[in-house]
């Protein structure tokens, strides 16, 4: 989604803004622009397409200016074009503004302003904000912004500059992230952490309707009524190197290879005296013992984690679990029980629908715990408790290491709750803890499949359809494998509960259709083998992901064309390791197709609009 940067300090503005926007490129965008002052006049540079086009436009511009704002736009209202890209200005060109989010009542405000004679040039919702701030501007930019947001409905992060106040940036947010970084003699604001890391790791997170006024040497925060606020600095422990490829060709493959470390970092700090510590979830033992139900809510890959969570929490902790996609949950008026838990899962902590679901649950008086990766994100702050995955910064749009650490977190929660509830024996618990401890090493081993996966990718990258099938936990893994493939390679991919295939979808199987069968669960293997035979009989090319210990189950039948063998482990844990070759398959197929692996078309890393 869109990205915002703003800077005041000693450095020349254009390289700072372009550099900041580059750090946000991964979020997905289709045009970009900057605004800076020169001799008391606001200059705007904008270009459609990649940042390189804007960067080229900046070549040869020798501005001494050291304050400005920049934006990468992911089009919502109005096609991607130079005129629709941000910054937008008032008619006189004295106020410039960048915006993330959607102004829902923009048509009404536009009509109101047009009646006053204001002329609009773009098709965007954002332009109304520039004119509205101008309407309220009487020499105080902060006051004008405060008045404007009173009229604006929807979601926004705004950063605004004015040629009348050449040493000031005013910014405000509601339902769209905005972070302010404080460094020695300079301050930078951005919609996401990577853009700040080059300057500082000391940041302020803005809450809804908080206004920041950045001037040279000062950063002040106000509420919408003008009362000054005291805000705490949060120190981000991410490293700037995490926002760089470090020798890898793409962020996605770097992040796939970071998984053993990410699993280790998520697990080890919570293993205390041989027991899994989930105190960050903010649940006391009585609460866990009496839990009547858990509802897990998430979007995209995180919702696939929720499906795995359902299987294992129900199986080991014996708590009924309901899974909801956040965009459905928020509108379906779910029946929540007062003493239940709602768990939200999110990498970014900024997904608009997941935030709305969290608020819906809280409004119903239900406790909400978040499994979240980004420290200080909206979800982390608004949930009653936050259990952080320690995946580190994830840049590739297609999630890998964040997904896997979310999965691991589900297991930690399930087993820790089961232990408290006495639904597993001490021996079973210890066995599970031992297995969890071994996962980083197994993740390392499975990376060795790289060559085989590259070979499969080379053979299959021209496919138009792929089906992923599995039962139980293998079905949950199939869902993620299928999403991974389709989102970056644009190959049509579907995940099916293996037993359901014959109720319609099998009609699509023809000679050489690729079916990836996942069969890692002993109690279901025979059933899945029957389904494999069904597709094989219709000509499918079958690749089967299983564990070494189950290879013998497939002897005496030749329905599988190729096996992907993952190391042996407790069946329950298989999704955590099994997903890695599936991620690699999606990556290498996309590479062979020549597409942009890290920034797939139409997608955004963090979906901050509904
Ligand atoms: C986007 C991303 C997905 C992600 C989903 C939820 O669609 O492209 O990879 O799974 O949002 O994001 P979250 O940050 O809430 O986990």
């Amino acid at each position: 989604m869109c990205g915002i940067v703003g800077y005041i300090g000693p450095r020349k503005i254009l390289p700072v803004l372009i550099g900041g926007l580059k750090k946000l490129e991964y979020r997905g965008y289709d045009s970009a622009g900057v605004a800076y002052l020169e001799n008391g006049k606001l200059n705007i540079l904008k270009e459609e397409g990649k940042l390189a086009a804007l960067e080229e436009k900046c070549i040869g511009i020798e501005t001494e200016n050291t304050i400005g704002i920049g934006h990468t736009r992911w089009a919502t209202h109005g096609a991607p074009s130079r005129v629709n890209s941000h910054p937008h200005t008032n008619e006189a060109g004295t106020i410039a503004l960048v915006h993330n989010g959607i102004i829902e009542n923009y048509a009404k405000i536009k009509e109101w302003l047009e009646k006053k004679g204001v002329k609009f040039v773009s098709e965007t919702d954002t332009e109304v904000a520039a004119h509205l701030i101008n309407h309220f501007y009487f020499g105080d930019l902060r006051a004008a912004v405060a008045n404007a947001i009173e009229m604006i409905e929807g979601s926004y992060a705004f950063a605004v500059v004015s040629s009348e106040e050449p040493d000031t940036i005013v910014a405000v947010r509601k339902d769209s992230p905005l972070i302010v970084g404080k460094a020695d003699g300079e301050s930078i604001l951005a919609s996401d952490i990577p853009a700040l890391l080059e300057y500082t790791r000391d940041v302020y997170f803005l809450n809804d309707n908080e206004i920041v006024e950045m001037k040279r040497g000062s950063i002040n925060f106000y509420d919408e009524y003008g009362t000054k606020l005291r805000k705490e600095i949060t120190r981000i422990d991410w490293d700037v190197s995490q926002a760089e490829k470090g020798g890898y060709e793409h962020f996605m493959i770097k992040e796939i290879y970071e998984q053993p470390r990410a699993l280790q970092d998520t697990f080890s700090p919570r293993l205390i005296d041989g027991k899994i510590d989930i105190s960050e979830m903010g649940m006391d033992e009585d609460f866990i013992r009496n839990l009547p139900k858990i509802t897990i809510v998430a979007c995209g890959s995180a919702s696939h984690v929720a499906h795995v969570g359902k299987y294992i929490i129900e199986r080991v902790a014996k708590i009924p679990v309901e899974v909801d996609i956040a965009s459905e949950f928020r509108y379906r008026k779910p029946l929540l029980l007062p003493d239940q838990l709602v768990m939200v899962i999110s990498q970014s902590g900024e997904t608009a629908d997941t935030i709305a679901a969290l608020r819906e649950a809280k409004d119903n008086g239900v406790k909400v715990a978040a499994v979240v990766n980004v420290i200080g994100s909206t979800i982390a702050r608004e949930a009653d408790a936050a259990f952080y995955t320690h995946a580190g910064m994830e840049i590739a749009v297609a999630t890998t290491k964040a997904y896997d650490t979310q999965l691991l977190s589900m297991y930690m929660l399930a087993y820790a709750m089961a232990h408290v509830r006495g639904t597993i024996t001490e021996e079973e618990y210890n066995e599970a803890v031992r297995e969890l401890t071994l996962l980083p090493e197994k993740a390392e081993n499975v990376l060795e499949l790289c060559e085989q996966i590259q070979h499969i990718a080379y053979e299959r990258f021209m496919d138009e359809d792929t089906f992923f099938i599995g039962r139980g936990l293998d079905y949950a893994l199939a869902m993620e494998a299928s999403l991974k493939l389709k989102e970056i390679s644009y190959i049509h991919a579907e995940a099916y509960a293996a037993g359901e295939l014959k109720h319609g979808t099998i009609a699509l199987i023809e000679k050489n259709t690729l079916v990836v069968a996942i069969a890692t669960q002993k109690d279901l293997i025979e059933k899945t083998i029957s389904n494999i035979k069904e597709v094989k009989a219709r000509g499918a090319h079958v690749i089967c992901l299983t564990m070494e210990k189950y290879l013998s189950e497939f002897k005496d039948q030749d329905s599988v064309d190729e096996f992907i063998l993952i190391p042996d482990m407790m069946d329950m844990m298989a999704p955590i390791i099994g997903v890695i070759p599936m991620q690699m398959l999606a990556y290498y197929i996309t590479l062979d197709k020549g597409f942009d692996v890290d920034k797939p078309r139409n997608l955004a890393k963090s979906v901050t609009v509904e």
Side-chain angles (χ1 to χ4, degrees):
M1 298 261 121
C2 312
I4 286 181
V5 290
Y7 175 85
I8 305 184
R11 309 178 200 222
K12 288 195 179 171
I13 193 64
L14 286 176
V16 172
L17 294 179
I18 300 287
L21 292 177
K22 276 189 184 164
K23 291 284 180 336
L24 301 178
E25 262 191 296
Y26 74 98
R27 295 170 61 94
Y29 70 101
D30 39 47
S31 56
V34 294
Y36 64 97
L37 280 158
E38 194 75 273
N39 304 323
K41 195 178 148 294
L42 263 177
N43 285 284
I44 312 277
L45 298 170
K46 336 200 232 192
E47 273 307 326
E48 191 188 329
K50 295 281 175 202
L51 256 180
L54 179 67
E55 199 173 7
E56 206 172 300
K57 211 169 181 177
C58 295
I59 294 172
I61 301 180
E62 275 308 323
T63 177
E64 290 304 313
N65 183 275
T66 57
I67 162 171
I69 53 176
H71 191 258
T72 43
R73 172 172 186 252
W74 189 83
T76 57
H77 294 56
S81 69
R82 189 183 295 172
V83 70
N84 286 336
S85 54
H86 306 203
H88 288 283
T89 65
N90 59 334
E91 284 176 285
T94 52
I95 290 172
L97 147 152
V98 291
H99 168 220
N100 287 358
I102 291 176
I103 300 176
E104 283 163 7
N105 59 341
Y106 83 99
K108 229 179 172 171
I109 302 176
K110 187 171 178 179
E111 199 187 324
W112 182 74
L113 288 166
E114 276 174 337
K115 279 195 187 133
K116 294 184 183 306
V118 176
K119 295 268 179 299
F120 283 75
V121 294
S122 77
E123 302 157 83
T124 64
D125 54 333
T126 301
E127 194 186 347
V128 301
H131 296 298
L132 196 61
I133 292 169
N134 178 58
H135 175 80
F136 289 118
Y137 187 76
F138 301 102
D140 183 345
L141 189 59
R142 177 163 59 84
V145 170
N147 281 324
I149 60 167
E150 253 188 60
M151 280 183 72
I152 291 173
E153 287 165 19
S155 59
Y156 47 78
F158 291 124
V160 194
V161 288
S162 162
S163 53
E164 313 276 322
E165 296 176 48
D167 274 336
T168 307
I169 299 177
V170 174
V172 62
R173 68 151 254 172
K174 180 176 161 276
D175 297 339
S176 189
L178 205 57
I179 307 155
V180 178
K182 182 176 183 288
D184 197 11
E186 54 192 339
S187 26
I188 178 154
L189 69 82
S191 49
D192 205 353
I193 296 169
L196 306 175
L197 286 179
E198 199 179 324
Y199 304 90
T200 182
R201 290 203 235 154
D202 291 332
V203 304
Y204 299 97
F205 291 97
L206 249 66
N207 291 321
D208 279 356
N209 290 328
E210 286 179 357
I211 300 176
V212 59
E213 190 177 56
M214 291 161 57
K215 290 182 179 287
R216 281 189 202 281
S218 73
I219 305 174
N220 287 302
F221 298 92
Y222 301 86
D223 69 13
E224 59 211 288
Y225 310 108
T227 311
K228 209 164 177 177
L229 303 170
R230 270 185 63 85
K231 285 187 74 71
E232 296 292 320
I233 284 189
T234 304
R235 186 144 178 94
I236 303 291
D237 60 4
W238 289 354
D239 202 283
V240 73
S241 69
Q242 292 180 0
E244 273 142 28
K245 288 190 196 138
Y248 287 90
E249 200 177 340
H250 296 101
F251 281 109
M252 183 175 175
I253 192 69
K254 173 177 177 250
E255 288 160 4
I256 288 173
Y257 273 81
E258 281 171 350
Q259 286 179 110
R261 198 263 316 137
L263 292 171
Q264 186 75 49
D265 289 354
T266 302
F267 185 65
S268 337
R270 275 89 179 223
L271 186 65
I272 298 173
D273 298 333
K275 303 274 175 274
I276 305 165
D277 175 14
I278 58 159
S279 50
E280 290 154 89
M281 288 292 280
M283 304 186 286
D284 62 29
E285 295 202 346
D286 272 348
F287 182 83
I288 294 174
R289 265 185 219 110
N290 297 319
L291 266 174
K293 174 171 105 167
I294 298 176
T295 305
I296 314 182
V297 190
C299 296
S301 293
S303 77
H304 300 153
V305 172
H307 285 282
V308 175
K310 176 180 168 66
Y311 277 108
I312 54 173
I313 294 171
E314 289 193 341
R315 207 178 295 175
V316 302
K318 310 284 182 231
I319 306 168
V321 177
E322 199 174 50
V323 171
D324 253 304
I325 291 169
S327 54
E328 290 295 313
F329 177 89
R330 62 184 292 190
Y331 294 118
R332 81 171 173 87
K333 307 262 173 281
L335 289 178
L336 298 172
L337 307 173
D339 44 359
Q340 75 157 97
L341 175 74
V342 167
M343 186 164 22
V344 293
I345 307 175
S346 175
Q347 186 287 125
S348 63
E350 299 295 350
T351 303
D353 284 321
T354 312
I355 294 172
L358 177 159
R359 290 177 183 163
E360 170 75 23
K362 283 188 82 172
D363 288 348
N364 277 279
V366 173
K367 182 179 174 65
V368 181
V371 173
V372 60
N373 194 44
V374 177
I375 295 163
S377 55
T378 305
I379 288 178
R381 282 177 295 133
E382 290 195 17
D384 297 307
F387 185 93
Y388 283 111
T389 49
H390 295 307
M393 200 188 313
E394 193 178 64
I395 303 283
V397 165
T399 177
T400 52
K401 59 177 181 168
Y403 170 87
D404 224 11
T405 53
Q406 287 166 350
L407 268 193
L408 174 61
S409 305
M410 289 301 112
Y411 285 79
M412 291 160 70
L413 297 173
Y415 280 104
M417 290 193 292
H419 194 232
V420 171
R421 290 164 65 89
T423 49
I424 50 172
T425 63
E426 201 61 28
E427 211 172 282
E428 286 167 331
Y429 176 72
N430 291 335
E431 166 72 4
V433 171
R434 246 193 323 274
E435 286 275 332
L436 289 171
T437 313
L438 293 175
L439 286 175
E441 193 186 317
K442 296 209 160 121
E444 195 78 61
N445 296 342
V446 91
L447 292 171
E448 286 166 16
L449 288 172
C450 177
E451 226 171 276
Q452 185 199 356
I453 303 287
Q454 269 176 293
H455 182 73
I456 297 174
Y458 187 69
E459 300 272 301
R460 308 301 312 188
F461 78 94
M462 295 298 283
D463 283 352
E464 289 180 356
D465 302 287
T466 300
F467 295 86
F468 291 84
I469 60 170
R471 289 168 178 260
L473 280 170
D474 291 332
Y475 172 46
L477 170 52
M479 289 190 225
E480 177 59 8
S482 151
L483 177 62
K484 218 64 329 169
L485 181 66
K486 78 180 103 181
E487 68 179 336
I488 57 172
S489 75
Y490 318 141
I491 291 176
H492 165 238
E494 286 191 44
Y496 262 85
E500 184 64 12
L501 199 70
K502 60 174 97 47
H503 297 290
T505 311
I506 202 163
L508 299 173
I509 305 291
E510 46 190 40
K511 195 167 179 319
N512 202 29
T513 306
L514 178 61
V515 174
V516 180
I518 305 174
T520 63
Q521 306 295 304
K522 176 139 183 66
D523 51 339
L524 296 167
I525 263 188
E526 263 183 42
K527 304 279 173 207
T528 305
I529 290 177
S530 303
N531 302 127
I532 291 175
K533 286 183 176 160
E534 287 161 7
V535 294
K536 191 68 199 169
R538 273 115 192 134
H541 180 87
V542 179
I543 293 176
C544 178
L545 182 139
T546 187
M547 280 189 267
E548 282 159 11
K549 63 181 175 181
Y550 294 138
L551 200 53
S552 57
E553 304 279 333
F554 292 84
K555 71 172 184 292
D556 305 331
Q557 56 94 15
D558 53 4
S559 305
V560 174
D561 294 281
E562 183 163 358
F563 287 97
I564 297 174
L565 292 179
I566 60 170
D568 290 343
M569 69 199 85
M570 194 192 260
D571 289 7
M572 288 266 265
M573 312 283 174
I576 301 182
I577 301 304
V579 74
I580 297 174
M582 297 291 94
Q583 297 164 344
M584 291 200 279
L585 184 64
Y587 173 77
Y588 285 111
I589 284 183
T590 307
L591 211 60
D592 289 338
K593 292 183 83 99
F595 295 143
D596 187 343
V597 187
D598 286 337
K599 288 179 260 126
R601 70 184 180 208
N602 306 341
L603 296 184
K605 179 75 185 155
S606 165
V607 180
T608 50
V609 295
E610 210 183 310

